[in-house]
Amino acid sequence: MDFLTWGYLIVAVALFFYVLALIMSTPYFFYFYFDLREKKAQRNDNKGANTRFAVLIPARYEGSAIKPLLESLRDNPYPKELLDVYVITETRADPVFALAQEYGFSSLARQDDTLGVKTKGGALDDAYRQLCKRGKEYDSFAIFDADNIVSKDFFVEMDKLRAQGYKVCLGLRDFTNRTDNWISATSALMLTLTANFSTAGRKHLADKGFVTGTGYCIDSSLIAEFGRWPFQGLTEDMEINDFCLHRPDVRMGFTRFAPFYDEQPTDLSTMHKQHLRWMFGYFTIMGEKFPKTTKIKNFLVAWEANLWGLFYIINLVVSSLAWMALLGLAIASIFVSFNPWLFVMFAAMFLFWIWEFDSVGLFLSLADLTKKPSLWIRTKTVLLFFIYMLDYAFGFLEGLLFPHTWKTWTKIKHKAKE
């Protein structure tokens, strides 16, 4: 085949997979409707049942980054007798161990027999075992990352959700630094898909949600079933979601009136590390871990839960490879046989690829439940969203070729931001 024929073939393949990805993403259009309904939801004024919370914060060498979180917890109006805070460090030598105590909280240094599990779930498992040995009993465990900040209403609203029978409760994920630069802005926009947008859809359709690693509460009864913290993989939040989706007795609640805030990366290196960890952590939990005794009852939620990662991967990998192939063909035509149609196809494919992902960014921006930044920042974020998504494609290829890049734990540094 000549260069032009190859060009047509690549375009056809890319369009085919784009249509396939569009079909696979059908549940998100329904989620968008429920997300708009969630924006109009009224605050539940009913009193809760006075839940006793244990706040668990894995914080290995987080330094000053954890101070805003500790301050927000110290100043939280929820009854102090019902709120115990535990900061988990790897050793007592970690400065965070003493820092937590300065704020009046408890510190837990990991025990030697659990240090082999380097994941966040491993740290939570160690903390849970230590609390059990001390005879501590709680109704619910609240999980936060060291870079979070908790709103004053968070625990009150979680308490209300538990009073309604929810065993896993989720707050609204917002961001402290989404306006710092395009990296933090696009990262924040992407997290609105999973943390808030998908949770709103799942909530209305099936009483489920989408845990994204932090800002959630899980009933102690669920953990007690296993006698340990069972979610210990590279992405323990995906394990929790998988577990809850296949348990009809586990209802997951969500309220936008319980915001918490976290920090997004502001440099490409940190963003890339996160993408590697998230993508391949997703693959490691597919089809394993927890017995699926029942199917997900709601058809749309089951569709989205089983395919949510695949349509991104198909789109990213195929369209990126197609774009690079067209670029190669266009360059080759200069040295072999010049054909202007190759350049036309390359330009059209490039613009289509940008539009494809920026349209997703626009979709998410319209559905955003958080306090939105200015129109100019939102516009800039949407326009640059394709660059953020391109890093997933590069990360996917890198992880396949060099698996040690995602199997080896690397620390992601956080900065303190009020």
Side-chain angles (χ1 to χ4, degrees):
M1 292 189 292
D2 59 19
F3 288 128
L4 188 60
T5 304
W6 275 109
Y8 284 132
L9 180 61
I10 292 171
V11 170
V13 170
L15 288 175
F16 169 77
F17 278 100
Y18 172 73
V19 172
L20 178 62
L22 195 63
I23 294 173
M24 292 169 67
S25 62
T26 298
Y28 291 110
F29 296 103
F30 290 90
Y31 284 10
F32 183 78
Y33 166 73
F34 290 115
D35 187 87
L36 296 180
R37 282 184 55 183
E38 190 65 30
K39 287 184 177 184
K40 300 178 181 179
Q42 300 297 312
R43 185 190 294 268
N44 184 345
D45 291 328
N46 295 331
K47 291 185 178 181
N50 294 322
T51 300
R52 184 170 171 77
F53 290 103
V55 179
L56 303 181
I57 310 168
R60 176 163 49 175
Y61 293 102
E62 288 294 349
S64 61
I66 197 175
K67 287 183 178 179
L69 172 60
L70 297 180
E71 290 170 1
S72 67
L73 290 170
R74 181 191 61 193
D75 300 335
N76 196 282
Y78 195 75
K80 300 303 179 186
E81 66 274 13
L82 299 176
L83 188 67
D84 289 344
V85 177
Y86 298 94
V87 177
I88 310 164
T89 62
E90 193 159 286
T91 68
R92 289 176 175 266
D94 187 334
V96 175
F97 187 91
L99 180 64
Q101 295 177 349
E102 291 177 14
Y103 280 86
F105 301 133
S106 300
S107 302
L108 296 174
R110 294 189 63 176
Q111 304 295 307
D112 292 339
D113 60 342
T114 66
L115 287 176
V117 183
K118 294 293 186 181
T119 63
K120 178 179 177 180
L124 293 172
D125 181 46
D126 183 279
Y128 177 74
R129 294 185 188 209
Q130 290 193 51
L131 294 178
C132 288
K133 289 179 181 178
R134 297 179 185 183
K136 298 287 187 178
E137 295 184 358
Y138 296 97
D139 301 313
S140 181
F141 294 102
I143 312 302
F144 294 105
D145 289 338
D147 63 317
N148 294 161
I149 297 176
V150 183
S151 68
K152 63 181 181 63
D153 294 327
F154 185 87
F155 294 105
V156 172
E157 294 298 329
M158 295 295 103
D159 187 40
K160 291 178 183 179
L161 288 176
R162 287 196 72 257
Q164 298 172 56
Y166 295 107
K167 292 187 177 181
V168 178
C169 306
L170 303 164
L172 178 75
R173 191 167 189 165
D174 208 338
F175 314 95
T176 58
N177 67 334
R178 70 184 301 167
T179 60
D180 279 8
N181 60 24
W182 72 268
I183 296 173
S184 63
T186 53
S187 296
L189 184 62
M190 184 61 187
L191 275 176
T192 64
L193 170 66
T194 51
N196 303 326
F197 178 78
S198 291
T199 293
R202 289 183 176 188
K203 165 192 170 181
H204 286 276
L205 286 171
D207 259 349
K208 301 297 181 181
F210 201 112
V211 175
T212 55
T214 185
Y216 68 94
C217 300
I218 183 168
D219 259 36
S220 59
S221 61
L222 296 179
I223 307 300
E225 288 182 19
F226 298 91
R228 60 185 176 86
W229 196 276
F231 316 108
Q232 299 184 34
L234 191 64
T235 49
E236 82 294 334
D237 49 358
M238 293 305 301
E239 294 178 8
I240 295 173
N241 290 325
D242 189 55
F243 169 75
C244 293
L245 283 170
H246 293 87
R247 284 281 299 266
D249 61 314
V250 177
R251 297 172 62 213
M252 303 173 76
F254 169 73
T255 173
R256 64 186 178 90
F257 300 108
F260 68 97
Y261 306 86
D262 77 351
E263 176 187 286
Q264 292 308 298
T266 55
D267 62 275
L268 288 172
S269 175
T270 303
M271 181 181 76
H272 187 68
K273 288 178 184 178
Q274 286 187 340
H275 290 176
L276 275 171
R277 186 179 299 177
W278 294 342
M279 278 191 300
F280 288 92
Y282 166 73
F283 284 118
T284 60
I285 63 96
M286 288 179 66
E288 59 169 298
K289 284 287 182 185
F290 302 101
K292 298 176 175 57
T293 54
T294 61
K295 294 182 179 180
I296 303 173
K297 289 188 176 181
N298 186 275
F299 174 71
L300 285 173
V301 173
W303 183 345
E304 179 260 331
N306 291 320
L307 300 178
W308 78 273
L310 295 182
F311 98 93
Y312 285 113
I313 294 170
I314 289 174
N315 241 331
L316 286 166
V317 175
V318 175
S319 61
S320 298
L321 290 176
W323 174 74
M324 289 186 285
L326 281 172
L327 176 61
L329 289 171
I331 294 174
S333 70
I334 297 175
F335 302 100
V336 182
S337 59
F338 178 79
N339 191 320
W341 282 108
L342 282 174
F343 290 97
V344 172
M345 281 193 292
F346 165 69
M349 192 68 186
F350 181 66
L351 292 174
F352 175 80
W353 187 84
I354 293 176
W355 170 84
E356 178 184 355
F357 290 108
D358 284 356
S359 63
V360 174
L362 178 61
F363 186 78
L364 294 177
S365 181
L366 294 173
D368 195 352
L369 290 171
T370 64
K371 185 178 180 181
K372 296 179 181 179
S374 67
L375 179 61
W376 163 241
I377 292 176
R378 279 187 285 155
T379 302
K380 185 169 62 173
T381 303
V382 169
L383 292 177
L384 294 174
F385 193 67
F386 79 96
I387 301 177
Y388 173 87
M389 297 301 290
L390 178 61
D391 185 68
Y392 274 108
F394 288 144
F396 181 74
L397 295 175
E398 178 188 345
L400 290 178
L401 297 173
F402 309 103
H404 70 276
T405 57
W406 59 270
K407 289 184 178 180
T408 303
W409 184 88
T410 54
K411 179 176 175 58
I412 294 177
K413 294 183 179 180
H414 298 114
K415 303 175 184 177
K417 183 153 185 172
E418 303 290 344

